[in-house]
Amino acid sequence: MSDQQTRVEQPASPARSGKAAALGWILTIGLNVVAPIITYNQLRDHGWSEFGALLVSSAWPVLDTAISVAWRRKLDEFAVVTLVFLAITAVVSLIGAHSARALLIKDSGVTGLFGALCLATLLARRPLMFYFGRKFATDGTPQSTAWWNGLWEFEGFRRTMTVMTTVWGVAYLAEAALRIALAYALPTDTMVIISPIMVYAVLGMLGVWTALYGKRSQREGERRAAEADAKAEAQAQAQASGAGAAAS
């Protein structure tokens, strides 16, 4: 599809609820960062082992996923991926050495596996960031979901999703490697605080980059569409002038 058609036919995004989006982010940060840290510290103060406290505190992300599924009233691809990785985390936590450091390393391995999954989906029909983008760019209603799905027919949109998936995959592979190295170099109590912060710091930086890159891609598409319009208009004028000269 040409850039000119993209500019004319690509639908505008439907209106979203700002309050709903804000509440979603508050729940995500609260249940995935704040609650696990508080839970771990409280359990340690009450005599729990590092491993036990860390394992119990990791249950909060499960609640976050359950709330998301109940809110949207369906299990979308994003929720499926989240549940799969939570299941992997639970399984690997029960095998191998039962120490807090080992669990932190395994948790880092899970985020590394997420990065590898991002890169693997580049070979699939749609890359993983397409589904993540749909979760955060829509409010889950049939109208907004259909709007997002319809964007896939545009070449520029497909290219943007591919680049985003590649960057996220490489970034999380690097993040996992760094966290594993820090798990060996720093005390466990320090890593319990640093580890989730690192995860969401990387997520935040990727989020900012994704927003900026998305806007730049949109501007580039609009620029190409304008150039195509100008070229088509010039050709039409040239043809009109040629036809006028032949008639005279």
Side-chain angles (χ1 to χ4, degrees):
M1 183 171 292
S2 69
D3 290 329
Q4 182 178 2
Q5 289 175 310
T6 299
R7 190 183 70 168
V8 173
E9 298 177 10
Q10 183 166 322
S13 61
R16 298 181 62 202
S17 171
K19 292 182 179 179
L23 179 59
W25 278 108
I26 291 173
L27 285 173
T28 297
I29 295 174
L31 294 177
N32 288 275
V33 179
V34 179
I37 292 175
I38 293 176
T39 301
Y40 176 86
N41 290 332
Q42 288 296 314
L43 292 177
R44 289 286 289 146
D45 290 342
H46 286 79
W48 284 58
S49 67
E50 291 179 340
F51 176 80
L54 190 59
L55 189 60
V56 171
S57 64
S58 66
W60 286 107
V62 178
L63 178 60
D64 177 48
T65 301
I67 292 174
S68 177
V69 171
W71 192 348
R72 292 174 177 259
R73 297 185 181 277
K74 65 178 181 179
L75 192 65
D76 59 14
E77 294 85 351
F78 182 89
V80 169
V81 171
T82 301
L83 289 174
V84 167
F85 277 97
L86 288 173
I88 293 174
T89 303
V91 171
V92 299
S93 68
L94 298 176
I95 62 178
H98 281 196
S99 68
R101 174 170 284 113
L103 188 57
L104 285 168
I105 293 171
K106 293 171 184 176
D107 184 54
S108 301
V110 170
T111 60
L113 184 59
F114 170 76
L117 178 62
C118 284
L119 299 180
T121 60
L122 295 174
L123 303 176
R125 188 167 66 94
R126 294 178 181 178
L128 190 59
M129 284 303 111
F130 171 84
Y131 301 106
F132 275 53
R134 188 172 65 187
K135 175 178 174 63
F136 293 107
T138 72
D139 55 11
T141 61
Q143 179 187 9
S144 62
T145 300
W147 161 74
W148 183 262
N149 292 342
L151 294 176
W152 186 252
E153 66 179 282
F154 300 104
E155 189 275 334
F157 179 80
R158 295 194 298 270
R159 182 176 59 252
T160 298
M161 291 298 102
T162 298
V163 172
M164 287 180 178
T165 301
T166 302
V167 171
W168 280 63
V170 172
Y172 268 111
L173 283 174
E175 180 269 345
L178 178 58
R179 277 206 296 151
I180 290 174
L182 291 177
Y184 282 104
L186 299 176
T188 299
D189 288 350
T190 301
M191 275 304 298
V192 167
I193 297 175
I194 293 178
S195 184
I197 291 177
M198 282 185 62
V199 172
Y200 283 91
V202 172
L203 177 61
M205 289 186 291
L206 285 172
V208 171
W209 173 84
T210 299
L212 294 175
Y213 177 73
K215 291 180 179 178
R216 189 184 72 177
S217 298
Q218 182 180 9
R219 290 195 300 268
E220 181 65 18
E222 292 174 347
R223 183 188 63 80
R224 290 195 302 266
E227 290 177 352
D229 282 346
K231 182 178 180 180
E233 183 177 355
Q235 290 176 344
Q237 291 177 349
Q239 291 174 355
S241 299
S248 61

